[in-house]
Amino acid sequence: MEYSEKQIAIIKAAEKLFAIKGFDGASVRDIAHEADINVAMISYYFGSKEKLMEAVFEARSSNIRLKIENLLADDKLSHLGKVNVLIDDYVDKFIHQQEFHKIMMREQMIEKDTPIAGLIHDLKKRNLESIKRLIEEGQKKGAFKKNIDVVLMMTTLVGTVSQMITSQYFYKKMNNLEHMEEVEFQKHMRKKLSIHLKNLFKQSLSNEQ
Amino acid sequence: MEYSEKQIAIIKAAEKLFAIKGFDGASVRDIAHEADINVAMISYYFGSKEKLMEAVFEARSSNIRLKIENLLADDKLSHLGKVNVLIDDYVDKFIHQQEFHKIMMREQMIEKDTPIAGLIHDLKKRNLESIKRLIEEGQKKGAFKKNIDVVLMMTTLVGTVSQMITSQYFYKKMNNLEHMEEVEFQKHMRKKLSIHLKNLFKQSLSNEQ
DNA sequence: AAAAATTAATTAAACGTTTGTTTAGTTTTA
DNA sequence: TAAAACTAAACAAACGTTTAATTAATTTTT
């Protein structure tokens, strides 16, 4: 779907306000004001608030799967090296799309079969299958140990990054980083998470012990 | 604060619906219906919807800190043993209070200085300080390695459990556990998370390598 | 190329619902 | 019989959406 400038502005505003206030907390008038357009334009372009949410989703849910497939094919990287790239990809994706991922987290908490819940499920399933292949490849070559629960592993990867983003203000305060500029702090988070997660997974995947 | 039966019913209903639908998504009429009381009783007992949320918080935010303090004083457990008990406490607390923790997660995403945001912050800060002492004790005795980032460690602990709870339906499906009864599944989650997290932390805290 | 006709974009206002809260009255409890 | 518990109804405000009218852009006709 091709979007006009105004439509992009609406999606951007919706993404921001849905992330901050939640779907019900953000009114269409809020969004219209943020996007600097008339309220009626939201219905005009997207049909409804619900459909606007779907448009936000469609626009932002880039597939990480392609990257994983490329990783699988890469023969210059070790098996652990591939996992490390995967970690960095996830960390980067979450940090650069914080707003969208807050929306995703919220949407997953809703106990309802929304169209978006289905989209998230399929996305996660496809990603997981690719990552499973990546791990199994390492196991076959003896680089990784047997009995790795990939779902649990991904739960820790995604959970750690999500939790960091959700509680970044707390993290800042606990580390006396409140003075730090936003961009600088994002770099800091990125680095810290990357090292932390790589250490965590290196030890729990490794066959040597 | 002592609550009557009806007040408890309202808090329970509010906890459930705030968790499922979010604060704005759950209407006072929804809550009144769920609690099987008249809408006006919410204002009558709690003053407002906002205050009801605070009451839910006050009623559910049991302090895990006391448990940690007892752990610190325990001399029958090894340092790693204490960390393992801590892990189990967190896993149990989250699984048995899933609804409340969903509310906490949602509340932390809101970029607003609500009274509850302050409560969460103080709670986390106090807990963190106790856990830091627990880790430092182990470091002093040479059981744990130096340079442990306790905030990051807790981010992984809380993040993993949160993510598991948020995406438990996905986890069920990926492991073909859809047939499993709710109580049985909770036991399963509890066990899996416990083992997974203990392994993860054992290796990243341990001084032996 | 100018004029006319058609379509698209945009607006302010109004729509009917739903929202959280209050009121005024009734029933129950102590 | 006074206080507390409870109710149905009403309240104004905010909600998502639609309408009707106007302006801007595009296409068709001359």
Side-chain angles (χ1 to χ4, degrees):
Chain A
M1 182 77 90
E2 289 294 308
Y3 290 122
S4 72
E5 251 181 74
K6 299 246 164 173
Q7 284 170 300
I8 291 168
I10 294 170
I11 289 175
K12 203 171 166 182
E15 182 184 28
K16 178 179 173 182
L17 295 181
F18 285 157
I20 296 174
K21 303 183 169 193
F23 181 77
D24 295 295
S27 73
V28 289
R29 283 172 180 82
D30 283 343
I31 296 166
H33 184 259
E34 173 80 26
D36 203 25
I37 48 102
N38 188 285
V39 229
M41 296 308 292
I42 289 174
S43 293
Y44 178 73
Y45 277 130
F46 299 95
S48 69
K49 191 186 180 185
E50 195 80 46
K51 294 253 187 69
L52 171 58
M53 171 67 119
E54 290 176 41
V56 170
F57 230 82
E58 202 227 309
R60 294 289 183 266
S61 65
S62 72
N63 207 335
I64 205 165
R65 193 181 161 219
L66 232 128
K67 277 198 165 185
I68 305 171
E69 294 296 330
N70 285 337
L71 258 185
L72 272 163
D74 195 328
D75 54 0
K76 287 186 292 291
L77 278 166
S78 70
H79 297 287
L80 186 61
K82 289 181 184 182
V83 172
N84 285 342
V85 172
L86 182 79
I87 290 170
D88 279 335
D89 280 351
Y90 264 90
V91 170
D92 285 347
K93 193 167 174 288
F94 271 66
I95 287 182
H96 290 132
Q97 298 193 327
Q98 292 185 37
E99 285 168 355
F100 175 65
H101 276 97
K102 279 186 188 171
I103 296 174
M104 269 194 57
M105 285 185 252
R106 273 221 189 76
E107 201 68 21
Q108 286 178 87
M109 286 187 215
I110 299 170
E111 282 172 28
K112 214 167 85 186
D113 267 330
T114 59
I116 289 160
L119 287 178
I120 296 177
H121 186 277
D122 294 345
L123 202 76
K124 286 174 72 176
K125 193 177 170 187
R126 277 198 301 273
N127 285 343
L128 188 73
E129 276 157 6
S130 294
I131 294 162
K132 263 186 176 162
R133 280 171 52 209
L134 196 150
I135 299 294
E136 279 163 11
E137 198 190 49
Q139 289 176 315
K140 231 173 260 172
K141 297 287 165 61
F144 298 151
K145 67 178 169 196
K146 304 285 165 196
N147 299 323
I148 293 169
D149 191 325
V150 182
V151 183
L152 270 182
M153 189 190 114
M154 291 309 293
T155 303
T156 287
L157 173 53
V158 172
T160 299
V161 185
S162 299
Q163 180 63 20
M164 174 63 108
I165 285 170
T166 304
S167 64
Q168 58 186 289
Y169 181 69
F170 181 74
Y171 179 88
K172 256 186 183 171
K173 214 164 189 178
M174 287 302 108
N175 290 285
N176 299 312
L177 299 175
E178 283 156 302
H179 64 282
M180 205 181 259
E181 297 258 342
E182 185 55 29
V183 182
E184 197 189 351
F185 177 66
Q186 284 193 12
K187 277 186 195 168
H188 172 91
M189 265 202 303
R190 194 197 163 286
K191 189 81 190 165
K192 281 278 177 188
L193 279 173
S194 175
I195 293 170
H196 172 66
L197 289 165
K198 283 173 188 170
N199 274 330
L200 224 52
F201 286 129
K202 183 187 172 185
Q203 289 161 326
S204 69
L205 292 175
S206 168
N207 213 353
E208 306 148 34
Q209 190 113 300
Chain B
M1 184 75 88
E2 289 296 309
Y3 291 122
S4 72
E5 251 181 74
K6 298 247 164 173
Q7 284 170 299
I8 290 168
I10 294 170
I11 288 175
K12 203 170 166 183
E15 182 184 27
K16 178 178 171 182
L17 295 181
F18 284 157
I20 296 173
K21 303 181 168 195
F23 180 77
D24 296 295
S27 74
V28 289
R29 282 170 182 83
D30 285 343
I31 296 165
H33 185 259
E34 173 80 26
D36 202 26
I37 47 104
N38 188 285
V39 229
M41 298 307 293
I42 289 175
S43 293
Y44 178 72
Y45 278 130
F46 298 96
S48 70
K49 191 187 179 184
E50 197 93 52
K51 294 254 186 69
L52 170 58
M53 171 66 121
E54 289 176 40
V56 170
F57 232 82
E58 201 224 313
R60 295 288 183 265
S61 65
S62 73
N63 206 334
I64 205 166
R65 194 181 160 218
L66 232 128
K67 277 198 166 186
I68 304 171
E69 293 296 329
N70 286 336
L71 258 185
L72 271 163
D74 194 329
D75 53 1
K76 287 187 291 294
L77 278 167
S78 70
H79 296 287
L80 187 60
K82 290 180 183 183
V83 171
N84 284 343
V85 172
L86 182 79
I87 290 170
D88 280 335
D89 280 351
Y90 263 91
V91 170
D92 285 348
K93 193 168 177 287
F94 271 66
I95 287 181
H96 291 132
Q97 297 193 327
Q98 291 184 38
E99 285 168 354
F100 175 65
H101 275 96
K102 277 185 189 171
I103 296 175
M104 271 194 52
M105 284 186 255
R106 272 224 184 75
E107 202 67 22
Q108 286 178 86
M109 284 186 217
I110 300 170
E111 281 172 28
K112 213 167 86 184
D113 267 330
T114 60
I116 290 159
L119 288 177
I120 297 177
H121 186 276
D122 293 346
L123 202 77
K124 287 175 71 177
K125 194 178 169 184
R126 276 198 303 273
N127 285 343
L128 187 72
E129 276 156 7
S130 293
I131 294 162
K132 263 186 177 163
R133 278 171 53 210
L134 197 150
I135 299 294
E136 279 163 11
E137 198 191 48
Q139 288 177 314
K140 232 172 261 172
K141 297 287 163 60
F144 298 151
K145 67 177 168 195
K146 304 287 165 194
N147 299 325
I148 293 168
D149 191 326
V150 183
V151 183
L152 269 182
M153 190 190 112
M154 291 309 293
T155 303
T156 288
L157 173 52
V158 172
T160 300
V161 185
S162 299
Q163 179 64 20
M164 175 63 108
I165 286 170
T166 303
S167 63
Q168 58 187 288
Y169 181 70
F170 181 74
Y171 178 87
K172 256 187 183 169
K173 214 163 189 179
M174 287 303 107
N175 290 285
N176 298 313
L177 299 174
E178 283 157 301
H179 64 282
M180 205 181 260
E181 298 257 342
E182 186 55 28
V183 182
E184 198 188 351
F185 178 66
Q186 284 192 13
K187 277 186 194 168
H188 172 90
M189 265 203 302
R190 194 198 163 286
K191 189 83 189 163
K192 281 279 178 187
L193 278 173
S194 176
I195 294 170
H196 172 66
L197 288 165
K198 282 173 188 170
N199 274 330
L200 224 51
F201 287 129
K202 183 186 172 186
Q203 289 161 324
S204 69
L205 293 174
S206 169
N207 214 352
E208 304 149 35
Q209 189 113 298

